[in-house]
Amino acid sequence: MTTVRYCINGKLVNGIAPTNRGFAYGDGVFRTMRLLNGELQDWPLHYQTLVADCSKIQIVCPSAELLMQEFKYLMASASEEDTQFSILKIMITRGEGARGYAPPAVSEPTRVLIQSPLPNYPPEIYANGVALYTCQTRLAHQPLLAGIKHLNRLENVLARGELKDPRFFDGLLRDYDDHVIEAVSGNLFIRKDGVVMTPVLESCGVAGVMRQKILDWYKTQRQTVLVSTLTIDDLLNAEAIVIVNSIYGVLQVSHIDDQPVATNHWAKELRSQLHYVTH
């Protein structure tokens, strides 16, 4: 399946005005989710996160009903293959505005829905794990934007550009204090001394929906996940490492750069507990 579909403000078009603040300034937020058998996976949690992210940058998030209506309109002519396994990306921008940084006093948010093919992940990454490259690009601290999946992702773009070697599935991002924050395209958990840990995201990084699902699951099991500062040494000495996002789910990390790290069945267990389908 190679079709990519676009819906902008309820119309099946693929163009946006140059004066749109999302294009001009990255003034907006987005979320990406899997479409499985016609249903958006974890839609309530994705929408809850969209609302929270919009609120943090003072955009009024469109209603869930409107977004679902436009999603159904977008997919009305989709093939069975399109609806079985694909990706939906939702972007909300502040809308159009005049030249200059100052946000308009009254704005009409722009809604963009993009449906595209699900990446064809090889089965080996689920069976054998993946290698991560330690990126030289660092994440700057900005507590006002920490956790938000805003449209300005230049740090991630530069970091992803470092991944020239096909051995590496993704990269590790650190801040300027040498703390590990996340993968370029996902969040990270480790298990060390029997304790599950994930990096703190108070100054930078994105709080992904799959990360929240895992935190919520451990909470239901009355098990604590320690949200803490982590270093590369913590990762190298961990009992297991996983990277997570809403598209590939949960993947075991087998190497950091050229160094092997401990592996076990943790990623497989998490996929089972979260009922994640890998194909």
Side-chain angles (χ1 to χ4, degrees):
M1 189 269 289
T2 58
T3 304
V4 178
R5 290 180 172 79
Y6 308 88
C7 182
I8 300 177
N9 291 335
K11 298 179 181 179
L12 300 179
V13 295
N14 61 0
I16 193 165
T19 52
N20 193 285
R21 291 181 62 88
F23 170 78
Y25 304 117
D27 190 359
V29 300
F30 74 101
R31 288 286 159 177
T32 308
M33 58 210 79
R34 279 183 30 142
L35 178 62
L36 179 62
N37 298 327
E39 298 291 331
L40 291 176
Q41 301 300 285
D42 303 312
W43 168 242
L45 188 51
H46 278 287
Y47 181 70
Q48 175 186 324
T49 310
L50 267 178
V51 171
D53 285 1
C54 281
S55 176
K56 288 176 183 176
I57 59 172
Q58 300 175 20
I59 293 177
V60 177
C61 187
S63 70
E65 291 76 16
L66 178 59
L67 292 175
M68 283 303 298
Q69 176 185 326
E70 293 181 348
F71 163 66
K72 291 175 182 177
Y73 177 53
L74 175 69
M75 300 302 297
S77 61
S79 68
E80 182 179 351
E81 186 180 4
D82 288 337
T83 59
Q84 284 240 329
F85 298 105
S86 59
I87 293 173
L88 182 73
K89 180 177 183 178
I90 297 179
M91 293 186 285
I92 309 296
T93 83
R94 199 177 303 274
E96 295 188 29
R99 189 198 66 80
Y101 290 129
V106 179
S107 61
E108 183 68 31
T110 298
R111 310 174 304 276
V112 180
L113 280 70
I114 305 172
Q115 179 258 329
S116 56
L118 185 71
N120 186 23
Y121 295 120
E124 303 85 67
I125 69 171
Y126 292 101
N128 304 326
V130 295
L132 302 182
Y133 172 78
T134 304
C135 296
Q136 297 307 302
T137 303
R138 302 297 183 104
L139 294 176
H141 285 188
Q142 176 44 275
L144 288 175
L145 298 177
I148 302 173
K149 203 166 190 178
H150 54 75
L151 289 172
N152 190 331
R153 306 248 55 91
L154 282 176
E155 292 169 326
N156 301 69
V157 170
L158 293 174
R160 186 63 183 82
E162 296 183 41
L163 299 180
K164 310 293 187 185
D165 191 327
R167 291 179 302 160
F168 298 112
F169 179 81
D170 206 342
L172 275 178
L173 286 174
R174 297 165 293 166
D175 65 8
Y176 283 92
D177 294 326
D178 279 336
H179 296 142
V180 174
I181 304 299
E182 59 192 1
V184 174
S185 301
N187 291 116
L188 176 144
F189 288 82
I190 73 170
R191 195 157 63 188
K192 185 178 181 184
D193 300 325
V195 178
V196 176
M197 307 169 73
T198 193
V200 64
L201 303 178
E202 292 180 353
S203 298
C204 54
V206 173
V209 162
M210 185 60 76
R211 175 182 184 268
Q212 189 60 50
K213 278 190 71 175
I214 292 174
L215 291 173
D216 290 345
W217 185 85
Y218 275 105
K219 188 175 181 180
T220 65
Q221 303 303 304
R222 297 197 166 125
Q223 296 183 47
T224 299
V225 176
L226 185 60
V227 180
S228 179
T229 55
L230 297 177
T231 65
I232 294 291
D233 283 343
D234 289 323
L235 272 59
L236 293 175
N237 293 310
E239 296 158 14
I241 308 168
V242 296
I243 55 171
V244 305
N245 76 14
S246 292
I247 307 305
Y248 57 67
V250 183
L251 294 174
Q252 194 94 38
V253 175
S254 62
H255 291 75
I256 293 177
D257 300 320
D258 290 321
Q259 294 186 255
V261 295
T263 58
N264 51 34
H265 299 294
W266 189 28
K268 184 177 179 180
E269 292 167 5
L270 284 173
R271 288 194 295 268
S272 175
Q273 289 152 356
L274 299 173
H275 306 291
Y276 183 85
V277 179
T278 60
H279 59 279

